[in-house]
Amino acid sequence: MTGVSFSGLRVRLVLLVLLAVIPASGLILYTALEQRRLAAEKVQGEALRLARFVAADQERLIEGARQLLIGLAQLPPVRRHDAGACSALFADVLKRFSRYANVGAVTPTGDVFCSGAPLRSPVNFADRAWFQRTLGTRDFTVSEYLIGRITRKPVLSLSYPFVDGLGVVRAVVFAGLDLAWLDQLVDEARLPRGSMLTVIDRNGTILARNPDGERWVGKAAPDAPVVRTVLAQREGVTEAPDLDGVQRLFAFAPLLRAHEAGAAYVSVGIPKAAAFAEVNRILARNLAGLGIVGALALVAAWVAGDLLVVRRA
């Protein structure tokens, strides 16, 4: 009976230690969950600011292109359809403005007679929606994102007509805004390793992606969970598997708010592992510390029970 009593006392001491440790464990886990929530909000907030910055920068680029095209449309080589002089001039423009994939001019029938980038064969834009819209509105036009027929790059085509004194369109000048500038932006943003910046059009086609752009550009992914969310909500944050299957925290915003014809969206995705790395490290440290303290307390309870109870008996 005495042995049973002593054993029961030890068990009670151990239970008291456990009762003290369990609430502490719960508090640590609750704190970790709250820290994860705050970390997610912080990461997605920063990503959303970056997405909005990309959109605002795009608008600035478009306004700059509009001013440039208005000036180029008035140049004599454009008015005269002087292919040699115009192409040489536009090639110099490309050297000065690296964000353009190409700058050129088109006849009213759609034939490209001037191009800053080399023409390997005759090119006609008569079937392009942006060209038809420019002829119809006789004003500055922004296209959807598309693959340039001359450069073979994903571009946003911007155009402006030269209209003579009789009100007849004599030429259309255009500039292809290259999406390669996003690569520099991603480098400057210093996103965590494994982060992705993606641009999609309103049909869910991938227009740009950094990194790994060569693998994804031009592919349609309208059924991907993150793409569906972006197209449905237009701006906001979400958590979803990315195109490569990696679970990421996303923030997204529309590009070209003032140009619905060119509707596109930019999303910034940050891996959950990177977003929660610090929180997970703190949680592991706290649980390890609690485990050590709990183990020491259990040993102390057992030894104290032996010294204070068993041996005194």
Side-chain angles (χ1 to χ4, degrees):
M1 293 296 293
T2 304
V4 174
S5 298
F6 292 154
S7 175
L9 287 173
R10 287 197 184 100
V11 171
R12 290 175 186 176
L13 287 172
V14 170
L15 289 176
L16 286 174
V17 172
L18 291 177
L19 288 175
V21 170
I22 289 174
S25 301
L27 180 60
I28 289 175
L29 293 175
Y30 173 80
T31 301
L33 289 174
E34 185 67 12
Q35 288 176 332
R36 286 173 70 91
R37 183 184 66 81
L38 294 174
E41 290 181 355
K42 179 182 178 181
V43 166
Q44 289 177 315
E46 293 174 350
L48 185 57
R49 282 191 291 274
L50 177 59
R52 287 170 174 168
F53 173 79
V54 172
D57 197 38
Q58 185 86 322
E59 289 290 351
R60 287 192 293 270
L61 288 174
I62 290 173
E63 177 56 26
R66 188 180 75 87
Q67 297 294 335
L68 175 65
L69 292 177
I70 289 174
L72 295 179
Q74 307 306 316
L75 296 176
V78 174
R79 293 185 174 195
R80 297 195 304 264
H81 293 192
D82 185 340
C86 179
S87 294
L89 179 62
F90 283 9
D92 186 61
V93 171
L94 282 183
K95 293 178 182 178
R96 296 173 182 270
F97 298 95
S98 60
R99 286 186 171 180
Y100 298 121
N102 195 17
V103 180
V106 187
T107 68
T109 58
D111 294 318
V112 177
F113 68 86
C114 170
S115 175
L119 281 175
R120 296 177 178 83
S121 60
V123 176
N124 185 279
F125 287 149
D127 62 331
R128 289 288 203 187
W130 62 263
F131 179 73
Q132 293 295 334
R133 197 159 55 248
T134 306
L135 293 179
T137 62
R138 300 186 181 188
D139 201 355
F140 178 69
T141 299
V142 179
S143 76
E144 294 184 345
Y145 279 93
L146 44 82
I147 302 299
R149 286 180 177 167
I150 298 173
T151 62
R152 309 311 303 170
K153 295 179 179 180
V155 296
L156 184 70
S157 188
L158 316 168
S159 54
Y160 189 83
F162 163 60
V163 183
D164 67 14
L166 299 177
V168 178
V169 176
R170 295 299 182 184
V172 173
V173 291
F174 68 89
L177 188 59
D178 194 350
L179 287 177
W181 63 277
L182 288 171
D183 296 342
Q184 180 181 354
L185 182 65
V186 172
D187 293 338
E188 293 174 352
R190 297 181 181 179
L191 295 171
R193 184 183 298 273
S195 298
M196 290 286 180
L197 189 149
T198 308
V199 177
I200 62 172
D201 68 12
R202 58 185 175 185
N203 299 314
T205 300
I206 301 164
L207 306 171
R209 187 169 171 87
N210 183 297
D212 207 18
E214 293 182 358
R215 176 186 174 190
W216 293 103
V217 169
K219 293 185 177 180
D223 296 326
V226 64
V227 174
R228 288 202 306 267
T229 301
V230 171
L231 295 179
Q233 298 183 12
R234 297 173 56 89
E235 180 170 317
V237 296
T238 189
E239 177 184 328
D242 203 348
L243 302 172
D244 56 5
V246 176
Q247 196 77 11
R248 289 187 171 91
L249 301 175
F250 288 94
F252 48 92
L255 291 172
L256 312 176
R257 294 175 184 270
H259 308 280
E260 286 301 318
Y265 305 89
V266 57
S267 68
V268 179
I270 298 176
K272 289 181 65 177
F276 297 142
E278 180 64 15
V279 173
N280 291 339
R281 186 185 66 80
I282 294 173
L283 174 61
R285 184 191 65 192
N286 290 343
L287 288 177
L290 181 63
I292 292 172
V293 171
L296 292 175
L298 287 173
V299 172
W302 191 269
V303 171
D306 185 60
L307 292 175
L308 298 177
V309 179
V310 176
R311 294 188 179 181
R312 285 191 179 184

